[in-house]
Structure formats: C-alpha cells, structure tokens
Amino acid sequence: MYDRRLDAILAAAQLGSFGKAAERLHISTPALAKQVNTFEREHHLILFNRSRSGVNLTKAGSLLVDDARAIIRQSDDALRRARAAMTHNASDEPVRLGVSVLRSARMVLDLWQRSGKRHSGIRLELVPLPDDFATFEHTARHLGDTVDVVACSFIPSWWEGSCNMLTLCQQPECLAVPRTDPLASKAMLELDDLEGRRIHVIRHNRGGLDAVRDLLESHPAISIVDIDCYELSTFNDCAESGDLLVSKPIWDDVHPGLVNIPVNWPFSMPYGLLYPLTPSPSVQRFINELGQLNRKANTVANTMARQDQQQRTISDRLLQ
C-alpha cells in the first residue's frame, strides 16, 4: 500500500546509521543505501546529512519521516477496513495471535483462559510463526496483515512508531546454563561466578537490554560473545559449546539442555503484547479485556503475598 522504501528511511532516521538500519531490516548496507538514494532522486529530495560518523535528518527529512509514520498507519488501517468489509460484522473478526517456540504466548493464554468465561464473544485464533528473527520482526512491524498480536519481551524504544505495546509483567534477566555445568545447581548467580566464562549477549542497539551488556563488559574476566538476535540456533549453540546465554524465565522450556538461573542484578524487561497502531475492534476489545484480567490477577497475587507475610510474622512471634 505504501512505498516500502519508507521502512529503510525510518530505520535510518531512528538509528542514525545506514549500517545499523540495514542490520535491523536484515538487508545489506548497500541495498539499504540504494533504497534511500533512489527515493531521494525520484522525489528530488535530500533526506539525510551523511558523514563518516553516520547520518542525520535534514529539515526536509524530518518532515517526511513525521508524515511517513502517519502514511504507514493510514495504509495499515485501510487494509484492516478492507478485510473487515469482507466479513458480515467487523467486531466478529478473530484475533490472530502469532505463536512459536520462542514466543509461545503461554502466559497470555493462561491468563486468558483463567477466568473461565466467553470473553464477550472474542475468538482467539493461533497462527504459527517461524522462529527466525527476520520473519518475526517483519511480522511485528506489519501487525494486522497476517497476524494481529504477538507475545514477547520487548524494549519499548525498539518498537516505538511500529506498533502498540501492552505490558503484562516484568521478566527478570537471567542466564541460561547447560544442565551439566556446576553453575546449574546454584539458586542464584553472582557476578564472581561468571569469571572466566563466555556469555552470549545481544549486541548494543539490537533490541536487547544494553544495561546487562554494559555490566558484563565492565568485568574483564568475562568474555562476551556477540549475537544479533535470539533464534533456536542461539540456544543450540550454547548447549553444545557450554557457553552461557542471557535469557528470561519465559524461555525455561526452549531447550532441554539449558536451565535458567537467576542472577543477583536488578535488570528486567517488559513482557506483554505487541499489537497494531490502529487495531481492529476485536483486537482492541481483546487488549482491553486482557489488561483487565491482568490487573485482577496482580491484585489477587499481591493480596495473597501480604496475607502470607502476615502469617509468617505471626508464626515468628509465636515461636519467640
């Protein structure tokens, strides 16, 4: 519906580099530069100031990028309305939840089914996704085309302008350790435990939590292995090599040879749903209802935690 070269322009504008934008879109740097250059020539524009340190938008480029975001949203909305017109009732459209091994949406499905009611007639349809990151990112940046929502952990700034986000919880950053490794028996890992070890960590500005990488890089006794994204091969590599991998509890069951161990650090990442900037009525109702269910579940959990703490306090006093 819109000129796909706008994706390259928006990525370069956000990241300040043709090379980084090409990595995000999983194309070569020359290919991305060609898309930008041909767009500029065709429309007689100069969108970027180019230098050895990167690129930044010209005044014309800033105006175009602001309008391009609106154009993409309008295009996605037009496609949604066209699809809705093919059904008898747009509000009866199914909500298509993309799922895969790395993005199983188990937490979302458990929360959705917990209430035991019909959820106002909302029909949830599971759509299988491949686990290669390029496909996932393309799907997530074009939600509403073949998939409406995906569940994952996310850095909000990575997806800003591409989709909406619903945070359900915070996922603590942990380390995936081979089950045969002595560290696998520990209840909690300290940074001292990691000395002399190789840890696979997502590169800076690739959608991971940069603060974790910064901390690990500050310890010279820890070796960093760069990864560009999380795919099943990432987990296979660590299981075979004996290396460690920055991970999350939602990936507990991804690989049978790895176990997630908490680390004594304060880092976590939001987990929840990505959904279209202009959601259909069914998707919006799903998001609203899921948010309400999550708030109720958190209220119950907090109440039970307080009651448990009160009971322990009473028991301690009786034992004194």
PDB file of all heavy atoms in Angstrom, residues 80-95 121 123 148 279-285:
ATOM      1  N   ARG A  80      -6.972  -2.960   7.002  1.00  0.00           N
ATOM      2  CA  ARG A  80      -7.841  -3.546   8.025  1.00  0.00           C
ATOM      3  C   ARG A  80      -9.305  -3.341   7.679  1.00  0.00           C
ATOM      4  O   ARG A  80     -10.124  -4.254   7.784  1.00  0.00           O
ATOM      5  CB  ARG A  80      -7.526  -2.929   9.390  1.00  0.00           C
ATOM      6  CG  ARG A  80      -8.381  -3.513  10.529  1.00  0.00           C
ATOM      7  CD  ARG A  80      -8.238  -2.697  11.793  1.00  0.00           C
ATOM      8  NE  ARG A  80      -8.668  -1.328  11.639  1.00  0.00           N
ATOM      9  CZ  ARG A  80      -9.916  -0.950  11.598  1.00  0.00           C
ATOM     10  NH1 ARG A  80     -10.900  -1.836  11.688  1.00  0.00           N
ATOM     11  NH2 ARG A  80     -10.239   0.328  11.453  1.00  0.00           N
ATOM     12  N   ARG A  81      -9.646  -2.117   7.241  1.00  0.00           N
ATOM     13  CA  ARG A  81     -11.044  -1.848   6.896  1.00  0.00           C
ATOM     14  C   ARG A  81     -11.482  -2.679   5.694  1.00  0.00           C
ATOM     15  O   ARG A  81     -12.625  -3.152   5.638  1.00  0.00           O
ATOM     16  CB  ARG A  81     -11.234  -0.351   6.606  1.00  0.00           C
ATOM     17  CG  ARG A  81     -11.125   0.534   7.840  1.00  0.00           C
ATOM     18  CD  ARG A  81     -11.697   1.925   7.561  1.00  0.00           C
ATOM     19  NE  ARG A  81     -10.986   2.583   6.475  1.00  0.00           N
ATOM     20  CZ  ARG A  81      -9.925   3.360   6.641  1.00  0.00           C
ATOM     21  NH1 ARG A  81      -9.459   3.583   7.848  1.00  0.00           N
ATOM     22  NH2 ARG A  81      -9.337   3.930   5.601  1.00  0.00           N
ATOM     23  N   ALA A  82     -10.572  -2.855   4.738  1.00  0.00           N
ATOM     24  CA  ALA A  82     -10.910  -3.664   3.566  1.00  0.00           C
ATOM     25  C   ALA A  82     -11.171  -5.114   3.961  1.00  0.00           C
ATOM     26  O   ALA A  82     -12.107  -5.748   3.465  1.00  0.00           O
ATOM     27  CB  ALA A  82      -9.790  -3.587   2.534  1.00  0.00           C
ATOM     28  N   ARG A  83     -10.318  -5.638   4.860  1.00  0.00           N
ATOM     29  CA  ARG A  83     -10.547  -7.012   5.324  1.00  0.00           C
ATOM     30  C   ARG A  83     -11.845  -7.118   6.107  1.00  0.00           C
ATOM     31  O   ARG A  83     -12.580  -8.098   5.993  1.00  0.00           O
ATOM     32  CB  ARG A  83      -9.369  -7.477   6.185  1.00  0.00           C
ATOM     33  CG  ARG A  83      -8.109  -7.806   5.385  1.00  0.00           C
ATOM     34  CD  ARG A  83      -7.096  -8.528   6.247  1.00  0.00           C
ATOM     35  NE  ARG A  83      -6.620  -7.678   7.329  1.00  0.00           N
ATOM     36  CZ  ARG A  83      -5.548  -6.903   7.249  1.00  0.00           C
ATOM     37  NH1 ARG A  83      -4.837  -6.879   6.133  1.00  0.00           N
ATOM     38  NH2 ARG A  83      -5.167  -6.162   8.267  1.00  0.00           N
ATOM     39  N   ALA A  84     -12.126  -6.084   6.913  1.00  0.00           N
ATOM     40  CA  ALA A  84     -13.350  -6.098   7.707  1.00  0.00           C
ATOM     41  C   ALA A  84     -14.582  -6.084   6.821  1.00  0.00           C
ATOM     42  O   ALA A  84     -15.613  -6.682   7.143  1.00  0.00           O
ATOM     43  CB  ALA A  84     -13.370  -4.903   8.665  1.00  0.00           C
ATOM     44  N   ALA A  85     -14.487  -5.389   5.671  1.00  0.00           N
ATOM     45  CA  ALA A  85     -15.632  -5.310   4.762  1.00  0.00           C
ATOM     46  C   ALA A  85     -15.986  -6.658   4.160  1.00  0.00           C
ATOM     47  O   ALA A  85     -17.096  -6.852   3.661  1.00  0.00           O
ATOM     48  CB  ALA A  85     -15.326  -4.308   3.642  1.00  0.00           C
ATOM     49  N   MET A  86     -15.055  -7.609   4.219  1.00  0.00           N
ATOM     50  CA  MET A  86     -15.316  -8.938   3.659  1.00  0.00           C
ATOM     51  C   MET A  86     -16.051  -9.833   4.642  1.00  0.00           C
ATOM     52  O   MET A  86     -16.419 -10.952   4.306  1.00  0.00           O
ATOM     53  CB  MET A  86     -13.988  -9.590   3.249  1.00  0.00           C
ATOM     54  CG  MET A  86     -13.247  -8.834   2.148  1.00  0.00           C
ATOM     55  SD  MET A  86     -11.664  -9.582   1.722  1.00  0.00           S
ATOM     56  CE  MET A  86     -12.244 -11.148   1.038  1.00  0.00           C
ATOM     57  N   THR A  87     -16.255  -9.355   5.867  1.00  0.00           N
ATOM     58  CA  THR A  87     -16.982 -10.133   6.862  1.00  0.00           C
ATOM     59  C   THR A  87     -18.330  -9.472   7.122  1.00  0.00           C
ATOM     60  O   THR A  87     -18.531  -8.290   6.843  1.00  0.00           O
ATOM     61  CB  THR A  87     -16.188 -10.235   8.170  1.00  0.00           C
ATOM     62  OG1 THR A  87     -16.082  -8.925   8.741  1.00  0.00           O
ATOM     63  CG2 THR A  87     -14.784 -10.790   7.918  1.00  0.00           C
ATOM     64  N   HIS A  88     -19.236 -10.214   7.704  1.00  0.00           N
ATOM     65  CA  HIS A  88     -20.567  -9.671   7.998  1.00  0.00           C
ATOM     66  C   HIS A  88     -20.505  -8.653   9.123  1.00  0.00           C
ATOM     67  O   HIS A  88     -21.263  -7.702   9.149  1.00  0.00           O
ATOM     68  CB  HIS A  88     -21.528 -10.799   8.377  1.00  0.00           C
ATOM     69  CG  HIS A  88     -21.803 -11.735   7.240  1.00  0.00           C
ATOM     70  ND1 HIS A  88     -22.476 -11.354   6.107  1.00  0.00           N
ATOM     71  CD2 HIS A  88     -21.480 -13.040   7.069  1.00  0.00           C
ATOM     72  CE1 HIS A  88     -22.582 -12.390   5.274  1.00  0.00           C
ATOM     73  NE2 HIS A  88     -21.971 -13.419   5.834  1.00  0.00           N
ATOM     74  N   ASN A  89     -19.606  -8.864  10.060  1.00  0.00           N
ATOM     75  CA  ASN A  89     -19.530  -7.982  11.228  1.00  0.00           C
ATOM     76  C   ASN A  89     -18.067  -7.835  11.606  1.00  0.00           C
ATOM     77  O   ASN A  89     -17.434  -8.802  12.011  1.00  0.00           O
ATOM     78  CB  ASN A  89     -20.334  -8.560  12.395  1.00  0.00           C
ATOM     79  CG  ASN A  89     -20.436  -7.568  13.547  1.00  0.00           C
ATOM     80  OD1 ASN A  89     -19.667  -6.630  13.651  1.00  0.00           O
ATOM     81  ND2 ASN A  89     -21.416  -7.809  14.413  1.00  0.00           N
ATOM     82  N   ALA A  90     -17.522  -6.618  11.481  1.00  0.00           N
ATOM     83  CA  ALA A  90     -16.103  -6.407  11.752  1.00  0.00           C
ATOM     84  C   ALA A  90     -15.741  -6.765  13.184  1.00  0.00           C
ATOM     85  O   ALA A  90     -14.634  -7.209  13.460  1.00  0.00           O
ATOM     86  CB  ALA A  90     -15.734  -4.946  11.466  1.00  0.00           C
ATOM     87  N   SER A  91     -16.673  -6.577  14.119  1.00  0.00           N
ATOM     88  CA  SER A  91     -16.378  -6.872  15.518  1.00  0.00           C
ATOM     89  C   SER A  91     -16.274  -8.367  15.781  1.00  0.00           C
ATOM     90  O   SER A  91     -15.820  -8.787  16.830  1.00  0.00           O
ATOM     91  CB  SER A  91     -17.467  -6.267  16.421  1.00  0.00           C
ATOM     92  OG  SER A  91     -18.725  -6.876  16.154  1.00  0.00           O
ATOM     93  N   ASP A  92     -16.718  -9.216  14.802  1.00  0.00           N
ATOM     94  CA  ASP A  92     -16.635 -10.661  14.964  1.00  0.00           C
ATOM     95  C   ASP A  92     -15.361 -11.250  14.357  1.00  0.00           C
ATOM     96  O   ASP A  92     -15.184 -12.466  14.353  1.00  0.00           O
ATOM     97  CB  ASP A  92     -17.850 -11.334  14.309  1.00  0.00           C
ATOM     98  CG  ASP A  92     -19.129 -11.064  15.095  1.00  0.00           C
ATOM     99  OD1 ASP A  92     -19.015 -10.751  16.300  1.00  0.00           O
ATOM    100  OD2 ASP A  92     -20.214 -11.142  14.500  1.00  0.00           O
ATOM    101  N   GLU A  93     -14.481 -10.407  13.833  1.00  0.00           N
ATOM    102  CA  GLU A  93     -13.236 -10.916  13.279  1.00  0.00           C
ATOM    103  C   GLU A  93     -12.425 -11.625  14.364  1.00  0.00           C
ATOM    104  O   GLU A  93     -12.356 -11.164  15.502  1.00  0.00           O
ATOM    105  CB  GLU A  93     -12.395  -9.766  12.719  1.00  0.00           C
ATOM    106  CG  GLU A  93     -12.879  -9.190  11.421  1.00  0.00           C
ATOM    107  CD  GLU A  93     -11.896  -8.149  10.906  1.00  0.00           C
ATOM    108  OE1 GLU A  93     -11.611  -7.191  11.653  1.00  0.00           O
ATOM    109  OE2 GLU A  93     -11.412  -8.312   9.784  1.00  0.00           O
ATOM    110  N   PRO A  94     -11.779 -12.743  14.037  1.00  0.00           N
ATOM    111  CA  PRO A  94     -10.934 -13.394  15.040  1.00  0.00           C
ATOM    112  C   PRO A  94      -9.702 -12.553  15.335  1.00  0.00           C
ATOM    113  O   PRO A  94      -9.239 -11.776  14.495  1.00  0.00           O
ATOM    114  CB  PRO A  94     -10.555 -14.719  14.361  1.00  0.00           C
ATOM    115  CG  PRO A  94     -10.644 -14.430  12.896  1.00  0.00           C
ATOM    116  CD  PRO A  94     -11.779 -13.454  12.746  1.00  0.00           C
ATOM    117  N   VAL A  95      -9.189 -12.711  16.534  1.00  0.00           N
ATOM    118  CA  VAL A  95      -7.924 -12.086  16.906  1.00  0.00           C
ATOM    119  C   VAL A  95      -6.833 -13.112  16.658  1.00  0.00           C
ATOM    120  O   VAL A  95      -6.806 -14.172  17.275  1.00  0.00           O
ATOM    121  CB  VAL A  95      -7.935 -11.648  18.385  1.00  0.00           C
ATOM    122  CG1 VAL A  95      -6.574 -11.084  18.782  1.00  0.00           C
ATOM    123  CG2 VAL A  95      -9.032 -10.622  18.622  1.00  0.00           C
ATOM    124  N   GLY A 121     -17.476 -12.967  23.470  1.00  0.00           N
ATOM    125  CA  GLY A 121     -17.541 -13.489  22.115  1.00  0.00           C
ATOM    126  C   GLY A 121     -16.275 -13.323  21.302  1.00  0.00           C
ATOM    127  O   GLY A 121     -16.277 -13.574  20.105  1.00  0.00           O
ATOM    128  N   ARG A 123     -13.028 -14.268  19.541  1.00  0.00           N
ATOM    129  CA  ARG A 123     -12.483 -15.538  19.042  1.00  0.00           C
ATOM    130  C   ARG A 123     -10.980 -15.408  18.864  1.00  0.00           C
ATOM    131  O   ARG A 123     -10.510 -14.575  18.087  1.00  0.00           O
ATOM    132  CB  ARG A 123     -13.155 -15.928  17.720  1.00  0.00           C
ATOM    133  CG  ARG A 123     -14.632 -16.247  17.864  1.00  0.00           C
ATOM    134  CD  ARG A 123     -15.211 -16.789  16.572  1.00  0.00           C
ATOM    135  NE  ARG A 123     -15.218 -15.790  15.504  1.00  0.00           N
ATOM    136  CZ  ARG A 123     -14.586 -15.922  14.352  1.00  0.00           C
ATOM    137  NH1 ARG A 123     -13.862 -17.002  14.100  1.00  0.00           N
ATOM    138  NH2 ARG A 123     -14.672 -14.980  13.418  1.00  0.00           N
ATOM    139  N   ASP A 148      -2.328 -10.450  14.181  1.00  0.00           N
ATOM    140  CA  ASP A 148      -2.791  -9.251  14.870  1.00  0.00           C
ATOM    141  C   ASP A 148      -1.965  -8.920  16.101  1.00  0.00           C
ATOM    142  O   ASP A 148      -1.708  -7.741  16.383  1.00  0.00           O
ATOM    143  CB  ASP A 148      -4.259  -9.416  15.281  1.00  0.00           C
ATOM    144  CG  ASP A 148      -5.187  -9.540  14.096  1.00  0.00           C
ATOM    145  OD1 ASP A 148      -5.067  -8.719  13.168  1.00  0.00           O
ATOM    146  OD2 ASP A 148      -6.019 -10.473  14.074  1.00  0.00           O
ATOM    147  N   PRO A 279      -5.694  -0.746  15.840  1.00  0.00           N
ATOM    148  CA  PRO A 279      -6.247  -2.097  15.978  1.00  0.00           C
ATOM    149  C   PRO A 279      -7.694  -2.169  15.512  1.00  0.00           C
ATOM    150  O   PRO A 279      -8.430  -1.186  15.560  1.00  0.00           O
ATOM    151  CB  PRO A 279      -6.140  -2.374  17.477  1.00  0.00           C
ATOM    152  CG  PRO A 279      -6.190  -1.019  18.113  1.00  0.00           C
ATOM    153  CD  PRO A 279      -5.503  -0.090  17.143  1.00  0.00           C
ATOM    154  N   SER A 280      -8.085  -3.351  15.067  1.00  0.00           N
ATOM    155  CA  SER A 280      -9.489  -3.589  14.729  1.00  0.00           C
ATOM    156  C   SER A 280     -10.313  -3.592  16.014  1.00  0.00           C
ATOM    157  O   SER A 280      -9.769  -3.703  17.118  1.00  0.00           O
ATOM    158  CB  SER A 280      -9.628  -4.937  14.028  1.00  0.00           C
ATOM    159  OG  SER A 280      -9.356  -5.988  14.950  1.00  0.00           O
ATOM    160  N   PRO A 281     -11.644  -3.474  15.910  1.00  0.00           N
ATOM    161  CA  PRO A 281     -12.471  -3.518  17.123  1.00  0.00           C
ATOM    162  C   PRO A 281     -12.254  -4.783  17.940  1.00  0.00           C
ATOM    163  O   PRO A 281     -12.204  -4.731  19.176  1.00  0.00           O
ATOM    164  CB  PRO A 281     -13.903  -3.439  16.566  1.00  0.00           C
ATOM    165  CG  PRO A 281     -13.765  -2.707  15.273  1.00  0.00           C
ATOM    166  CD  PRO A 281     -12.454  -3.160  14.704  1.00  0.00           C
ATOM    167  N   SER A 282     -12.114  -5.933  17.275  1.00  0.00           N
ATOM    168  CA  SER A 282     -11.913  -7.188  18.004  1.00  0.00           C
ATOM    169  C   SER A 282     -10.585  -7.178  18.754  1.00  0.00           C
ATOM    170  O   SER A 282     -10.507  -7.611  19.909  1.00  0.00           O
ATOM    171  CB  SER A 282     -11.948  -8.377  17.043  1.00  0.00           C
ATOM    172  OG  SER A 282     -13.229  -8.555  16.486  1.00  0.00           O
ATOM    173  N   VAL A 283      -9.529  -6.701  18.094  1.00  0.00           N
ATOM    174  CA  VAL A 283      -8.216  -6.664  18.741  1.00  0.00           C
ATOM    175  C   VAL A 283      -8.236  -5.707  19.923  1.00  0.00           C
ATOM    176  O   VAL A 283      -7.702  -6.013  20.997  1.00  0.00           O
ATOM    177  CB  VAL A 283      -7.126  -6.260  17.725  1.00  0.00           C
ATOM    178  CG1 VAL A 283      -5.802  -5.990  18.431  1.00  0.00           C
ATOM    179  CG2 VAL A 283      -6.954  -7.352  16.676  1.00  0.00           C
ATOM    180  N   GLN A 284      -8.878  -4.541  19.756  1.00  0.00           N
ATOM    181  CA  GLN A 284      -8.934  -3.584  20.857  1.00  0.00           C
ATOM    182  C   GLN A 284      -9.702  -4.153  22.044  1.00  0.00           C
ATOM    183  O   GLN A 284      -9.306  -3.963  23.211  1.00  0.00           O
ATOM    184  CB  GLN A 284      -9.573  -2.276  20.385  1.00  0.00           C
ATOM    185  CG  GLN A 284      -9.462  -1.150  21.417  1.00  0.00           C
ATOM    186  CD  GLN A 284      -8.029  -0.796  21.718  1.00  0.00           C
ATOM    187  OE1 GLN A 284      -7.296  -0.314  20.870  1.00  0.00           O
ATOM    188  NE2 GLN A 284      -7.616  -1.032  22.968  1.00  0.00           N
ATOM    189  N   ARG A 285     -10.807  -4.871  21.777  1.00  0.00           N
ATOM    190  CA  ARG A 285     -11.555  -5.485  22.880  1.00  0.00           C
ATOM    191  C   ARG A 285     -10.710  -6.554  23.574  1.00  0.00           C
ATOM    192  O   ARG A 285     -10.741  -6.702  24.786  1.00  0.00           O
ATOM    193  CB  ARG A 285     -12.862  -6.091  22.357  1.00  0.00           C
ATOM    194  CG  ARG A 285     -13.924  -5.047  22.038  1.00  0.00           C
ATOM    195  CD  ARG A 285     -15.288  -5.672  21.858  1.00  0.00           C
ATOM    196  NE  ARG A 285     -15.329  -6.538  20.696  1.00  0.00           N
ATOM    197  CZ  ARG A 285     -15.759  -7.799  20.701  1.00  0.00           C
ATOM    198  NH1 ARG A 285     -16.168  -8.344  21.842  1.00  0.00           N
ATOM    199  NH2 ARG A 285     -15.790  -8.512  19.595  1.00  0.00           N
TER     200      ARG A 285
END
